[in-house]
Amino acid sequence: MPIPTPVTNRFHLGVHVVSGLLAGYAVWAVSSLGTPWAFGDEFLGTLFSTGVFGAILLGGVFGFTSYGNERQLGKALRRFAGAGAIGLAIPATAAVLYALTSDGMHLFSFMPALVRRLFWWFTLAAALGAARGFWIGETRAACIAILGLAPGVTMAGVSADLIFFGHGYYLIGSIFLGVATGFTMGLAVELLKENWLEEIDIGDAPLDFRRQFLLETDEFVATSEGDCDFSLPEDVGISFTISERDGMRILESLDGEPIQVGKALCRYRVLVDGDAIRIGNEAWIYHTRWARTRDVMPEAAV
């Protein structure tokens, strides 16, 4: 019987919220270069704030998650830098395009100021979601993030405009915006995830704080060599991939060594919900929202 799993993982959700908080604070910290989130004469300040916000948010999410799952500082810093670069480039480009459209081409001049701000916050939300999908390499990952970010960033941004920014409370407003952005993106990712590996903790740790890897790409690589998705200790003696084929997730040994899945040793196996993969002294359970019993799956080659 599959081990029960919570709807959301509080560690992952917390990482998103903390990353958003840090991103909001960073925007306020660099606000001396100009009023954040304004256009016109303050565009350069907004451009810089947008890049900083996206870099800290995306870099923090992937960097902190990597460190929490594997405790490898070097790998976490590389993830932070890589995701942060994408988080800076795409939202900053979106800000430039929005400024050209609204100020340069005057396409939004007939709209009320509130509607123009709605368009801006939606543009930022779409850019942040696109950055997440670009870093992961999956269009679906971008769409999932946008589903949470579009309403979250738009409503939080307009609320911040009306309540905080209009009265000069840039610190509180930016932190409010950052926390709302991180929370809504994290919640969407958690609620709409399809396949993931979750640590089987033999201790007393709560279910919703267990280490977890989301399987969002066509191939998930676990090996002790290189900067892969899941870096294994050298002494475990195995390496494997989990790839998606015809809607199924298939575990395959990379070095020919059999891998223990449940009570069986196999080199190739179609995974179903509840399969436990033994990795050294640890065990990780595979979860999917699509199938709950082996009765609906074809037999795997052992």
Side-chain angles (χ1 to χ4, degrees):
M1 178 181 297
I3 293 178
T5 183
V7 175
T8 59
N9 183 289
R10 292 188 185 180
F11 169 71
H12 279 191
L13 193 58
V15 162
H16 282 79
V17 172
V18 170
S19 299
L21 187 151
L22 293 176
Y25 180 81
V27 166
W28 172 79
V30 301
S31 61
S32 59
L33 298 177
T35 303
W37 315 120
F39 286 87
D41 293 338
E42 300 289 348
F43 170 68
L44 290 180
T46 295
L47 179 64
F48 191 69
S49 298
T50 302
V52 168
F53 187 79
I56 300 298
L57 177 68
L58 269 293
V61 166
F62 290 99
F64 293 152
T65 300
S66 175
Y67 185 77
N69 282 338
E70 302 180 82
R71 300 294 194 275
Q72 296 186 16
L73 181 59
K75 182 176 181 179
L77 290 175
R78 290 191 295 273
R79 293 290 175 92
F80 182 94
I86 301 300
L88 184 152
I90 294 180
T93 302
V96 171
L97 294 176
Y98 178 87
L100 289 174
T101 304
S102 61
D103 298 335
M105 301 175 67
H106 305 289
L107 293 183
F108 297 158
S109 59
F110 63 93
M111 296 182 181
L114 181 61
V115 177
R116 292 199 299 271
R117 294 300 288 175
L118 280 170
F119 269 100
W120 158 241
W121 293 121
F122 179 82
T123 299
L124 178 61
L128 290 171
R132 181 180 188 273
F134 188 88
W135 168 250
I136 293 175
E138 285 290 330
T139 303
R140 187 180 182 280
C143 294
I144 288 175
I146 292 173
L147 285 175
L149 288 169
V153 174
T154 301
M155 291 189 292
V158 171
S159 298
D161 282 336
L162 297 176
I163 300 173
F164 302 113
F165 298 148
H167 297 85
Y169 300 130
Y170 296 119
L171 174 59
I172 299 175
S174 294
I175 289 178
F176 170 75
L177 177 63
V179 170
T181 300
F183 176 77
T184 53
M185 181 170 69
L187 187 62
V189 170
E190 281 296 312
L191 293 179
L192 297 177
K193 63 188 179 185
E194 293 183 353
N195 305 280
W196 65 98
L197 288 179
E198 186 172 73
E199 179 186 25
I200 300 178
D201 192 350
I202 61 175
D204 298 326
L207 280 172
D208 45 6
F209 277 96
R210 292 179 177 178
R211 294 186 293 165
Q212 186 180 105
F213 288 95
L214 301 183
L215 307 180
E216 297 185 276
T217 57
D218 290 338
E219 187 174 66
F220 177 86
V221 180
T223 178
S224 59
E225 300 178 359
D227 194 10
C228 58
D229 299 301
F230 186 1
S231 298
L232 304 178
E234 295 183 358
D235 58 356
V236 299
I238 61 172
S239 58
F240 61 88
T241 63
I242 299 177
S243 55
E244 182 178 8
R245 302 175 194 170
D246 300 324
M248 298 179 293
R249 288 283 173 173
I250 299 173
L251 180 143
E252 186 172 2
S253 174
L254 288 175
D255 53 12
E257 293 294 326
I259 300 167
Q260 183 176 349
V261 182
K263 296 181 179 180
L265 292 175
C266 54
R267 296 181 178 87
Y268 180 94
R269 183 182 179 92
V270 176
L271 295 173
V272 298
D273 188 68
D275 276 346
I277 304 171
R278 174 66 63 177
I279 302 174
N281 296 324
E282 301 175 349
W284 294 75
I285 190 168
Y286 169 76
H287 282 296
T288 178
R289 295 195 188 279
W290 294 112
R292 292 299 172 188
T293 66
R294 189 169 293 278
D295 297 336
V296 301
M297 304 297 290
E299 286 296 325
V302 177

